[in-house]
Amino acid sequence: MTIATGNYKLRVNDLRKTFGSLVALEGASIDVKEGEFLTLLGPSGSGKTTLLLAIAGLNDPDSGAIWIDGRLTTYLPPFKRDIGMVFQNYALFPHMTVFDNIAFPLRMRRGAEREIKDSVNRVLDIIQLPDIAQRYPRQLSGGQQQRVALARALVYEPSIVLMDEPLGALDKKLRDQLQLEIKQLHAKLNIAVLYVTHDQEEALVMSDRICLMRDGRIEQLGTPDELYFSPRTVFAADFLGESNLLSGRVTARDANEAAVRLDDGTELRGVIQEGIVEGERVRVMVRPESIALLNGGEAPENVVEADLENAIMTGGTIKCFFRTGSGLQLSARTLTGGPLAARKVASGKQRPGKQRLGWSRERTVVLKDA
Amino acid sequence: MRELRAAAPADTLKEAGSVEPSESGGGDSALRASGRRALAAWPLLPAFIFLGIAFVYPVALLLGTSFVDSSGELSTVHYTRLYDSRVVSRVLTITFEIAAWTTVFSVIAAYPVAYLLSTVRGSTRNTLIIWVLMPFWTSFLVRTFAWMVLLGRNGAVNQFLDILGIVDPPTFIYNFSGVMIGMVHALMPLCVLTMLSVMESIDHNLSRAASTLGARPGQAFWRVYFPLSVPGVAAGALLVFITALGFFITPALLGSERETVIVQLIIFQIKDMLNWGFAGAIAVFLLIVALIIFFIYDRLVGLSTLSGGSARAETNAKSNFIGWVGRRLGGLFIEVMARGSDLIGQGMERAFPQRPDKPRRKGGRAAIWATALLVIVFLAVPAFFIIPVSFTEAQFLSWPPRGFSLQWYESVLSNPVWVEAGLRSLLIAISAGGLGMLFGVPAAFYIARKARFKTAMIGFLVSPIIMPNIIIAVSLFYLYARLGLVGTDLGLVIGHTVLAVPYVVVTMIAVLKHYDERLDHAAYTLGANKARTFVHVTFPLMRAGMVAAFMFAFIISFDELTIALFVTGGQVTTLPKKMWDDALLQVSPTLAAVAAMVLVFMTIVILVSELVRRRGVQVQ
């Protein structure tokens, strides 16, 4: 049974999975195109791993359908799916050498030993570990094991590679490095990847698209830019990055723009989705780094005057906490190399004082109050 | 040891940053450091000194005696006789046959049980484990009596078959099959536990990974899961085989003349022929056989697997020929099994094609559950048959029991011999358990936390229970005969403590593995000294484990027959010995009543310790 799936490597349609009375997954539909990197992002218990395991064939969904490379595979066993999977703890076979580990999927597919040898050596070159073929997994570092697990999932060129928090066990520095390596590998080999993580930064760094999940449902699916700058829900705004979420009421709106009066009386303008009516309670999202510390000339749509209460140097940026006369609290982020005021406050040389803050209408998102 | 050395470079790198200051000094301070280290090993001393006197020395003495002839001259006469005797060679053959088949059946039946236990959730697991251990806890003798009730000519099984219309059922008892049923029943739990500890440490993601990589269940099992479980299988097989070599209760009561085993021969030589030298030679021969088996095992999989270590790494033909051959044969076996099961899998798929739009039937899991439950019923149920027959009005054991009467209980409780035997067993078991704790607990703490050469130390402390009991029994008998300790309670307590120490050590090390030592460190930083830390933090958290260790030692001693058989010298008697003596004459309803009481008593002891353990777990 084949349907027209274009160049989709994976299509998931309306998947549902329950464990007893717990609904782990509900109405999940995603697709991954050839060469695309899609990340399932969400807190633990949001259903992202349940979805991944259903796609891998490691748990059966209650209803819905899964196509891999145009072939219906909803209830096929994992070994008939043509997938590659990288597990969180790597799941390298401890009693086999690196070579035998990587050769395993090829042998299961009854390849000729000579071709297997060539393929394994080629993939070892790709992961830049050509000399470790005869070692055992326990003799490798965490980063090396991770690369071998990756090689094992790639060597037979499966339709799609599934990765279940593959970098979860590594320390920050190595994680950052491997994120880039996986990204490069993905670009070089043009493979479809479905990646699971709970780390929003990782998702932003690596993905072509992100599927944000919450309580077994898909909250929002889009490019990192869309999710970051145009979240559709308060949850999405809150989960990805930092945000100021200000409560207020819509006073006027047209097609995609609205005026909002915050609870303290401040008037703001921002972009608004359909389905929110005048007078409705909303939350206005502004990213801290969208807020500029104004010096004079500029005139963005939204301007407030506030006292700088505190500032913390966090490395590349300074995080500033402001409070307006009406009691509105705002946090802003500015580059450490930027405005002097904040830097001085951070180092304790200057007392907090009045500051004009401004940000554009495009960077102000009006969201339905959850 | 070999794989330890292989892994050394990685370990040195890891630990290079954390060299203790005391060890980085010059020669003088290094000397002082080693002296300090020796002093710090004091917790090992009680256990080592005790086992040295009460175990190593007597065994060495036995070894010596076997080389002395009846006139006191040094000679190998006993060994020549051993070599020449046709009786001995026949008995040896049947002993090995019984041990080998027991091992094969135990391993095959234990594997699915251990696999199931390693995959089910905690509470289900604990419940199932209690049932698996049922025969392990209930006295060897009680179990054997139960099989006699079940398998006898008019036993429950034959009557059941009669109802089914099978008129002329095969005889299950007083022949090889009776011995097999009894032995497998007795020793399989040991196998389950050993395999379980290995299977628990196998990451179940590995099988899943194999299946995402394209392996059918059969391939995934034989190429990934099975090789990783081999250390458990091997360790379980080894323990069963060695224990089976020293078994005599089951063959004596459930077998015929033909199933006379080597231990019976030793008993016969000492009790009836008074030929100690020859008996010693047979015991030494048994010991040597055990050592050879251990040696081969070490070459094949590595002795460290017995204490939960990893199996031998790749070996070459020159340095370890046995290991190399074993590895090749094992590889061949796995290849054949993997390919065979894959062919079957392919056939099944062709016969019943898997539909992508319908959920698969999960037949495999149900089959494992069914098999495992069947085995567990086999393990747990038989002992309970002893209870109804103990209330019979008939003068002989028969099934079904006739009427209802308490006469057999009255006759037991009014017989001072039985009562005295029971009290003595209780007293000795409590003493042996207590002494075992006294020697074993400090040693276990030291080994779990500080010791180098862990495997060797555990190996020594555990050696009394991994060699046939009869060797200890005969050795102690020799020693006691010289010291006049035969027939004394002290002698019995010492003998049973030799067995109690290993059980305490093994249990405590297992418990300590799960103890988070940082809790002690936290107590130190909060101002508690070592003693107060132990009293207020370590001990309360370890209490459940200690109770379990004591119970283990208690039960082993309470049920022990071999040592009692020799050391009592016919002057005093313990409960198992009295049961054994009576059983040799006839298994009467009186014995059933005793067995039922022992069964109930043991069950209460186990339930209480399990309760204590669970409460301990809750606290944590």
Side-chain angles (χ1 to χ4, degrees):
Chain A
M1 191 172 158
T2 310
I3 58 157
T5 47
N7 59 351
Y8 288 115
K9 285 294 176 186
L10 171 73
R11 294 206 88 161
V12 174
N13 189 32
D14 199 19
L15 225 52
R16 182 186 157 88
K17 170 81 183 173
T18 52
F19 295 107
S21 62
L22 177 84
V23 180
L25 204 59
E26 174 95 76
S29 300
I30 55 168
D31 44 49
V32 184
K33 288 192 262 310
E34 190 172 355
E36 189 181 25
F37 196 116
L38 180 76
T39 296
L40 301 176
L41 174 69
S44 54
S46 61
K48 54 190 194 307
T49 299
T50 309
L51 178 54
L52 190 85
L53 293 182
I55 294 167
L58 294 171
N59 68 28
D60 283 350
D62 299 345
S63 62
I66 300 165
W67 287 269
I68 291 168
D69 208 15
R71 204 161 57 95
L72 183 69
T73 57
T74 317
Y75 293 109
L76 282 187
F79 55 88
K80 291 203 166 261
R81 291 195 177 213
D82 193 29
I83 49 166
M85 182 148 172
V86 180
F87 289 79
Q88 182 166 19
N89 59 357
Y90 321 134
L92 294 175
F93 305 132
H95 60 303
M96 297 183 193
T97 60
V98 167
F99 183 91
D100 288 335
N101 261 285
I102 300 176
F104 187 86
L106 300 169
R107 286 183 180 146
M108 290 302 111
R109 285 167 175 73
R110 302 185 185 281
E113 270 312 302
R114 264 199 46 185
E115 286 163 32
I116 289 177
K117 200 167 177 205
D118 292 343
S119 303
V120 174
N121 286 334
R122 201 162 48 236
V123 80
L124 280 172
D125 276 339
I126 290 175
I127 60 164
Q128 296 167 21
L129 292 170
D131 303 321
I132 59 158
Q134 291 315 315
R135 296 220 210 135
Y136 282 91
R138 63 173 177 277
Q139 298 166 317
L140 305 179
S141 71
Q144 287 172 327
Q145 289 186 30
Q146 179 54 59
R147 289 192 188 95
V148 172
L150 210 58
R152 191 177 66 174
L154 292 174
V155 68
Y156 52 106
E157 295 168 13
S159 297
I160 182 161
V161 175
L162 312 174
M163 302 194 194
D164 185 11
E165 307 219 10
L167 305 180
L170 302 174
D171 61 54
K172 172 107 179 77
K173 203 144 197 166
L174 196 56
R175 205 160 63 217
D176 290 350
Q177 186 195 335
L178 275 164
Q179 281 174 8
L180 292 179
E181 274 182 37
I182 293 176
K183 192 81 191 116
Q184 282 164 7
L185 213 59
H186 165 249
K188 191 158 141 197
L189 303 174
N190 197 34
I191 40 174
V193 175
L194 185 64
Y195 192 94
V196 164
T197 183
H198 64 266
D199 181 344
Q200 41 108 359
E201 205 182 308
E202 192 166 292
L204 290 171
V205 168
M206 304 186 74
S207 319
D208 294 324
R209 285 192 302 153
I210 295 173
C211 173
L212 181 64
M213 302 197 60
R214 177 196 188 189
D215 297 338
R217 291 168 171 280
I218 293 175
E219 185 85 358
Q220 188 172 355
L221 208 163
T223 64
D225 256 33
E226 282 166 6
L227 257 87
Y228 192 77
F229 290 115
S230 313
R232 301 187 64 81
T233 62
V234 172
F235 176 80
D238 201 30
F239 193 80
L240 264 92
E242 292 173 39
S243 52
N244 293 291
L245 286 163
L246 314 169
S247 296
R249 219 175 266 282
V250 178
T251 53
R253 73 159 292 171
D254 58 21
N256 55 11
E257 213 185 301
V260 177
R261 175 179 292 133
L262 299 183
D263 293 348
D264 71 312
T266 310
E267 301 271 358
L268 295 177
R269 301 188 70 76
V271 288
I272 189 166
Q273 310 153 13
E274 286 169 27
I276 303 177
V277 295
E278 278 175 32
E280 197 173 336
R281 284 204 62 82
V282 290
R283 299 253 252 164
V284 177
M285 185 212 78
V286 187
R287 297 282 181 202
E289 67 274 17
S290 301
I291 299 177
L293 281 59
L294 303 178
N295 292 326
E298 318 93 312
E301 289 88 348
N302 299 309
V303 177
V304 296
E305 198 158 272
D307 284 318
L308 181 58
E309 293 200 311
N310 203 353
I312 300 162
M313 210 280 285
T314 64
T317 59
I318 298 176
K319 200 172 174 188
C320 310
F321 297 90
F322 292 98
R323 184 192 287 272
T324 66
S326 51
L328 184 69
Q329 284 176 294
L330 285 171
S331 69
R333 237 180 221 288
T334 175
L335 292 177
T336 311
L340 214 57
R343 256 192 303 160
K344 282 189 174 159
V345 173
S347 56
K349 282 181 189 149
Q350 190 187 316
R351 291 187 61 77
K354 279 265 184 273
Q355 168 72 49
R356 250 162 48 85
L357 304 172
W359 62 94
S360 75
R361 192 190 54 216
E362 289 82 43
R363 291 291 183 237
T364 311
V365 184
V366 181
L367 301 164
K368 229 182 177 76
D369 200 357
Chain B
M1 285 282 104
R2 192 172 304 271
E3 74 281 358
L4 283 183
R5 244 179 283 138
D11 285 346
T12 347
L13 280 178
K14 229 182 291 165
E15 282 164 16
S18 61
V19 176
E20 284 174 36
S22 66
E23 286 178 316
S24 57
D28 185 37
S29 71
L31 205 67
R32 255 184 289 138
S34 72
R36 253 204 314 277
R37 209 178 302 133
L39 265 183
W42 69 263
L44 287 175
L45 285 183
F48 273 69
I49 291 173
F50 174 76
L51 287 185
I53 294 172
F55 169 62
V56 178
Y57 174 64
V59 171
L61 212 60
L62 173 73
L63 200 70
T65 319
S66 71
F67 285 104
V68 175
D69 67 14
S70 51
S71 59
E73 296 290 313
L74 208 60
S75 112
T76 56
V77 59
H78 299 305
Y79 290 93
T80 343
R81 215 186 124 196
L82 195 65
Y83 184 76
D84 289 340
S85 165
R86 288 198 37 226
V87 177
V88 171
S89 68
R90 207 185 61 227
V91 168
L92 273 178
T93 316
I94 190 73
T95 306
F96 277 93
E97 237 171 77
I98 290 174
W101 283 111
T102 304
T103 309
V104 169
F105 289 130
S106 295
V107 167
I108 292 173
Y111 200 93
V113 179
Y115 177 79
L116 182 76
L117 288 174
S118 75
T119 53
V120 294
R121 235 164 308 186
S123 56
T124 321
R125 216 189 72 157
N126 285 341
T127 315
L128 287 178
I129 284 182
I130 292 185
W131 289 109
V132 168
L133 288 182
M134 196 70 202
F136 207 52
W137 297 127
T138 49
S139 145
F140 278 107
L141 284 158
V142 173
R143 261 177 276 162
T144 313
F145 297 163
W147 281 116
M148 294 167 97
V149 171
L150 273 166
L151 299 176
R153 244 172 272 292
N154 284 313
V157 170
N158 275 5
Q159 305 228 349
F160 181 68
L161 291 177
D162 200 37
I163 295 168
L164 289 184
I166 299 165
V167 191
D168 197 15
T171 19
F172 293 111
I173 202 172
Y174 308 127
N175 55 24
F176 194 76
S177 66
V179 176
M180 255 324 97
I181 292 172
M183 299 267 289
V184 171
H185 182 248
L187 294 177
M188 200 196 340
L190 192 66
C191 213
V192 173
L193 281 195
T194 325
M195 287 186 192
L196 180 61
S197 72
V198 170
M199 287 183 183
E200 272 179 332
S201 64
I202 299 175
D203 180 1
H204 283 269
N205 261 346
L206 294 175
S207 301
R208 303 169 106 191
S211 82
T212 66
L213 292 168
R216 282 196 176 75
Q219 293 262 23
F221 175 76
W222 286 109
R223 290 187 194 278
V224 176
Y225 194 85
F226 182 74
L228 291 171
S229 70
V230 159
V233 173
L238 177 77
L239 292 181
V240 168
F241 189 80
I242 296 282
T243 317
L245 279 184
F247 239 55
F248 67 98
I249 299 171
T250 316
L253 295 180
L254 296 181
S256 67
E257 191 77 5
R258 208 185 80 84
E259 282 81 31
T260 302
V261 292
I262 191 160
V263 177
Q264 287 167 283
L265 196 63
I266 296 175
I267 295 171
F268 177 73
Q269 287 296 333
I270 290 179
K271 295 262 155 161
D272 297 326
M273 308 300 287
L274 300 176
N275 193 343
W276 294 20
F278 187 47
I282 305 176
V284 169
F285 178 75
L286 194 58
L287 179 67
I288 290 167
V289 168
L291 290 177
I292 289 173
I293 291 165
F294 275 111
F295 173 76
I296 294 174
Y297 179 86
D298 183 48
R299 300 269 90 186
L300 277 177
V301 279
L303 274 179
S304 66
T305 52
L306 286 179
S307 55
S310 56
R312 272 184 186 287
E314 190 71 52
T315 46
N316 59 48
K318 249 186 207 161
S319 68
N320 178 2
F321 184 69
I322 298 173
W324 184 80
V325 170
R327 211 157 250 285
R328 292 292 162 283
L329 286 177
L332 198 68
F333 172 72
I334 284 170
E335 195 65 36
V336 168
M337 294 310 278
R339 279 175 192 248
S341 67
D342 201 44
L343 282 178
I344 294 171
Q346 276 179 30
M348 294 286 281
E349 275 165 35
R350 218 158 283 152
F352 311 97
Q354 275 149 332
R355 297 198 33 192
D357 53 345
K358 288 263 167 58
R360 285 159 276 157
R361 282 177 301 270
K362 298 260 152 90
R365 188 76 187 158
I368 290 170
W369 262 101
T371 315
L373 284 182
L374 214 65
V375 174
I376 289 173
V377 165
F378 166 75
L379 288 177
V381 170
F384 293 104
F385 274 83
I386 206 73
I387 293 175
V389 297
S390 67
F391 292 107
T392 187
E393 281 172 13
Q395 297 298 309
F396 301 99
L397 274 192
S398 60
W399 187 266
R402 191 143 45 86
F404 180 87
S405 142
L406 290 173
Q407 55 172 319
W408 306 112
Y409 286 90
E410 279 164 28
S411 87
V412 170
L413 293 176
S414 62
N415 184 343
V417 182
W418 278 115
V419 176
E420 200 193 313
L423 288 178
R424 177 173 291 108
S425 277
L426 197 66
L427 189 78
I428 287 169
I430 291 172
S431 316
L435 283 174
M437 294 293 283
L438 205 64
F439 297 139
V441 170
F445 263 89
Y446 182 80
I447 289 175
R449 297 200 165 166
K450 308 218 169 67
R452 297 145 183 242
F453 316 117
K454 263 186 204 186
T455 305
M457 286 193 187
I458 297 176
F460 173 68
L461 289 174
V462 169
S463 52
I465 55 171
I466 56 180
M467 68 172 59
N469 279 0
I470 187 76
I471 294 167
I472 302 173
V474 175
S475 310
L476 282 177
F477 188 44
Y478 279 129
L479 181 68
Y480 287 0
R482 295 183 180 190
L483 302 175
L485 277 172
V486 174
T488 61
D489 288 349
L490 178 66
L492 275 168
V493 169
I494 293 173
H496 284 186
T497 307
V498 171
L499 295 183
V501 169
Y503 282 107
V504 169
V505 168
V506 169
T507 317
M508 286 309 293
I509 287 178
V511 171
L512 281 164
K513 256 190 201 163
H514 298 290
Y515 183 78
D516 184 354
E517 214 182 333
R518 284 172 302 184
L519 295 172
D520 285 5
H521 298 162
Y524 298 153
T525 65
L526 295 169
N529 60 24
K530 280 196 173 180
R532 297 187 64 131
T533 300
F534 185 80
V535 171
H536 294 294
V537 179
T538 321
F539 179 71
L541 288 172
M542 300 291 304
R543 192 164 46 203
M546 288 184 159
V547 169
F550 175 79
M551 288 299 179
F552 212 163
F554 175 88
I555 290 168
I556 291 299
S557 163
F558 194 74
D559 192 27
E560 207 286 328
L561 173 62
T562 319
I563 291 176
L565 213 51
F566 285 88
V567 168
T568 52
Q571 297 160 37
V572 295
T573 190
T574 64
L575 200 54
K577 173 144 191 306
K578 173 78 179 134
M579 285 162 85
W580 166 255
D581 287 343
D582 279 28
L584 284 182
L585 296 175
Q586 189 206 2
V587 177
S588 62
T590 314
L591 265 181
V594 175
M597 283 192 272
V598 170
L599 182 63
V600 170
F601 174 71
M602 293 283 222
T603 310
I604 291 171
V605 168
I606 292 153
L607 288 182
V608 167
S609 57
E610 176 67 10
L611 217 66
V612 172
R613 195 189 66 79
R614 289 203 178 170
R615 267 180 49 201
V617 171
Q618 272 166 20
V619 167
Q620 285 178 34

